[in-house]
Amino acid sequence: MEQNNKFILGVEELNEIADKIDLGYVILIAGNPGTGKTIGASKILYENMTKLGIKTIYVSFVETKSEYYKNLKRLGLDMEELEKKGLFTYLEEITFLNKDLIPDILNQILNTVERTGAKIIVIDSISPLLQVTENIISLREILHNFFYRLSKIKGITTILIQEVPYGNENIGFGVEEFLVDAVIFLKTVQIKGRSIRIMEIKKARGSDVSLVSIPFIIRKDKGISVLYPKNVKEKRSNKLINVVVGNSSFTISLGSQNLIIANPKIDIQALASLIIVGAVTGTPNLSENIRRKTIIRMMSYTAEEFSSQIKNCLLNAGIDKNKVDELLKSYIIDGIDANKYSLTEYFDHVNEIEEMEKPAFVLNIGLDALIQLLADNEIYPRLELDAMIRRINNNITTLYLMNGNIKDYYSIPLGEEYDNVWYFYPYKENRLIIKPFRLKMKIFASEKYTINLSSIKCLSRII
């Protein structure tokens, strides 16, 4: 199973970055305490062992073997099982105290390499080694004469982990990053009172790195989950969906990304119900083909209440009860509690459920709440744009609903990226007006549409 000279970083989204990194590189993973350095390095070993059959060694100066195995197994990385298969060796060096022991430790590592035939080694961390060296010249000698030559002469990838104190982005003595082939820096930033982990690819010799700052999270089932835009080609459909709302209708294109801004007086969940029913009744073949799901995502509201509201509206629209029950089975109501998510956790959840379900439609209800509670001006636009591109590529028609005034459009991140923008606002005598505000795809004329709410009986109120 082992393939000569092959190496993977262990996270699917990062393998594009590592496509020119072969065995024999020296990689430095540096960062603040608790940012995921040990997990990231272990994930690299795990994927290379399980997918390529490469033997590895983990040298630790910071934790015992039992602690390491226990912590990694919680994240879905069973290193003990790989040890039993002869793929993994753990060297516990936590008793290391002074510089006189350095030669013995380095010889032990070298002997273990020779004995096991390992091709990847992790040193966690090199900070104790560096702290006991007498000066920068000794430091350079250790890094160059042992780790660098070990990698280049024997073709062994060496991954060095180094602690960086909080508030400091300078790595060690300042020479380490000049002696390695790749530098990955892990740090945390605060967004809306929540900690966000960021991975910076500061250097990757031989690879073109255009995006150096990558958000990621640590997940129990996979260790590291990176939110990195994949290279995708946008797909556009020429099929149209007619949405009937009250006594009026409007048209959207399959796969399009649409923003609806509803005046604050409008109940956004009630409006969402009308749009769902309007798509089913306005385009009958939609209700005939429900093999792909519809995800209804909201920042509040319970799934039971919203499902009951949709069912009531579908029945009032004259749709057969059996057909209604069948339709409701195709709806996934994804309630989001913003107090339990950080920005990166939110998008990781969104990407996972959409990749798993491959829905035909997504309704994101409460875009204003998402922006207010979780978003910033730098990371959020990148993650949201990535989500949009994924949906276009998978031909997922998306409606983003929010409460606000038309002037709020100019402060919405990525406003120019939506294919169509509409503004819904109340009018006298229980009426709603739909005003096309921005029509990128030029599907229909820009005149206003008036909806008579008196004809809608399924909702207690909408304005």
Side-chain angles (χ1 to χ4, degrees):
M1 183 166 60
E2 185 171 332
Q3 303 176 29
N4 292 332
N5 215 39
K6 294 295 182 182
F7 175 81
I8 54 177
L9 275 179
V11 178
E12 179 185 355
E13 293 82 357
L14 294 184
N15 286 334
E16 293 178 17
I17 293 176
D19 62 350
K20 295 180 182 178
I21 297 179
D22 295 322
L23 288 174
Y25 269 57
V26 180
I27 301 171
L28 177 64
I29 301 178
N32 309 134
T35 49
K37 299 182 295 300
T38 296
I39 297 169
S42 299
K43 178 70 171 176
I44 293 173
L45 297 190
Y46 185 84
E47 294 296 322
N48 280 277
M49 285 187 286
T50 56
K51 294 182 178 177
L52 300 179
I54 295 174
K55 295 180 180 180
T56 72
I57 299 171
Y58 201 100
V59 182
S60 178
F61 296 100
V62 295
E63 66 180 331
T64 65
K65 182 178 179 179
S66 60
E67 289 173 331
Y68 176 82
Y69 281 169
K70 181 176 67 175
N71 293 334
L72 268 293
K73 194 167 186 178
R74 290 172 179 167
L75 299 171
L77 308 179
D78 193 342
M79 309 301 271
E80 187 173 10
E81 182 64 26
L82 291 170
E83 181 186 38
K84 293 176 182 177
K85 294 180 179 179
L87 291 170
F88 182 65
T89 302
Y90 189 90
L91 293 180
E92 186 179 308
E93 302 287 355
I94 58 174
T95 57
F96 171 69
L97 294 174
N98 60 68
K99 64 183 179 63
D100 296 330
L101 294 176
I102 292 179
D104 291 337
I105 291 172
L106 298 184
N107 283 330
Q108 184 184 4
I109 294 172
L110 190 59
N111 291 335
T112 305
V113 169
E114 296 289 348
R115 175 174 56 83
T116 63
K119 289 295 182 180
I120 307 176
I121 302 172
V122 171
I123 309 294
D124 185 6
S125 77
I126 63 169
S127 298
L129 290 173
L130 304 182
Q131 288 168 1
V132 299
T133 54
E134 296 176 342
N135 51 52
I136 198 169
I137 296 175
S138 299
L139 166 64
R140 184 183 293 271
E141 288 177 351
I142 290 174
L143 291 175
H144 186 271
N145 292 337
F146 183 79
F147 297 121
Y148 191 81
R149 290 187 178 184
L150 179 70
S151 296
K152 300 309 173 186
I153 295 175
K154 295 184 175 293
I156 294 171
T157 294
T158 305
I159 302 172
L160 308 175
I161 295 177
Q162 186 166 6
E163 290 283 349
V164 177
Y166 282 113
N168 187 357
E169 294 195 12
N170 295 321
I171 300 174
F173 289 88
V175 300
E176 295 92 326
E177 56 186 304
F178 296 105
L179 299 174
V180 301
D181 300 295
V183 178
I184 302 173
F185 187 83
L186 308 182
K187 65 179 183 179
T188 58
V189 297
Q190 295 292 317
I191 298 177
K192 300 290 177 71
R194 296 165 174 85
S195 292
I196 305 296
R197 288 183 169 93
I198 301 293
M199 176 185 302
E200 293 184 351
I201 312 296
K202 289 180 173 283
K203 175 182 178 181
R205 190 172 292 158
S207 296
D208 297 325
V209 182
S210 58
L211 183 62
V212 297
S213 182
I214 305 169
F216 73 98
I217 68 169
I218 296 175
R219 282 180 44 168
K220 291 182 178 180
D221 59 338
K222 59 192 299 186
I224 295 286
S225 180
V226 170
L227 293 113
Y228 181 77
K230 295 180 180 178
N231 292 327
V232 294
K233 185 177 181 180
E234 294 189 8
K235 299 178 182 178
R236 295 287 179 174
S237 173
N238 57 6
K239 296 182 179 180
L240 301 178
I241 303 170
N242 189 48
V243 181
V244 176
V245 184
N247 57 340
S248 298
S249 66
F250 61 96
T251 308
I252 60 176
S253 173
L254 278 175
S256 62
Q257 307 300 296
N258 306 274
L259 174 63
I260 292 178
I261 304 174
N263 184 276
K265 294 181 180 179
I266 297 174
D267 185 322
I268 197 75
Q269 282 89 16
L271 179 60
S273 297
L274 292 185
I275 291 173
I276 292 169
V277 175
V280 173
T281 57
T283 312
N285 63 343
L286 282 181
S287 62
E288 296 168 5
N289 182 8
I290 57 173
R291 287 174 295 178
R292 291 178 66 189
K293 303 286 188 177
T294 293
I295 294 176
I296 303 167
R297 182 173 296 115
M298 55 186 63
M299 301 299 290
S300 61
Y301 225 76
T302 66
E304 294 78 12
E305 288 177 298
F306 195 72
S307 180
S308 176
Q309 183 171 280
I310 295 173
K311 182 176 182 178
N312 187 29
C313 286
L314 287 168
L315 291 172
N316 273 273
I319 300 175
D320 179 76
K321 182 181 182 301
N322 291 333
K323 195 65 178 180
V324 169
D325 292 337
E326 191 177 0
L327 278 167
L328 290 175
K329 292 177 183 177
S330 72
Y331 297 152
I332 299 172
I333 301 179
D334 184 22
I336 301 292
D337 183 350
N339 293 319
K340 296 181 180 179
Y341 285 86
S342 67
L343 182 63
T344 47
E345 289 169 337
Y346 169 81
F347 277 101
D348 183 70
H349 166 80
V350 166
N351 292 341
E352 181 186 29
I353 192 171
E354 291 181 14
E355 286 293 323
M356 179 175 61
E357 298 293 345
K358 294 291 190 297
F361 303 95
V362 171
L363 269 72
N364 275 347
I365 304 171
L367 181 64
D368 50 325
L370 170 64
I371 293 172
Q372 182 179 2
L373 295 173
L374 298 180
D376 71 329
N377 295 324
E378 180 182 351
I379 298 175
Y380 168 78
R382 284 171 42 197
L383 297 179
E384 185 65 275
L385 181 60
D386 179 35
M388 281 187 183
I389 294 173
R390 290 172 191 262
R391 290 164 187 152
I392 293 169
N393 193 58
N394 290 313
N395 203 31
I396 300 173
T397 308
T398 310
L399 270 68
Y400 306 79
L401 280 70
M402 62 173 286
N403 278 120
N405 294 300
I406 194 60
K407 65 179 182 180
D408 295 328
Y409 166 79
Y410 298 100
S411 61
I412 298 171
L414 305 175
E416 294 295 317
E417 298 298 327
Y418 295 102
D419 296 311
N420 304 295
V421 181
W422 292 277
Y423 180 50
F424 283 61
Y425 61 96
Y427 189 57
K428 60 183 180 180
E429 298 176 356
N430 201 30
R431 296 173 184 268
L432 275 184
I433 291 181
I434 306 175
K435 179 182 179 181
F437 177 70
R438 181 174 171 275
L439 301 176
K440 186 175 182 180
M441 301 184 76
K442 308 296 183 185
I443 297 173
F444 49 78
S446 58
E447 69 268 14
K448 299 177 182 178
Y449 297 79
T450 302
I451 303 170
N452 185 353
L453 296 177
S454 300
S455 62
I456 300 172
K457 306 296 183 183
C458 68
L459 300 171
S460 59
R461 62 178 292 273
I462 184 169
I463 55 175

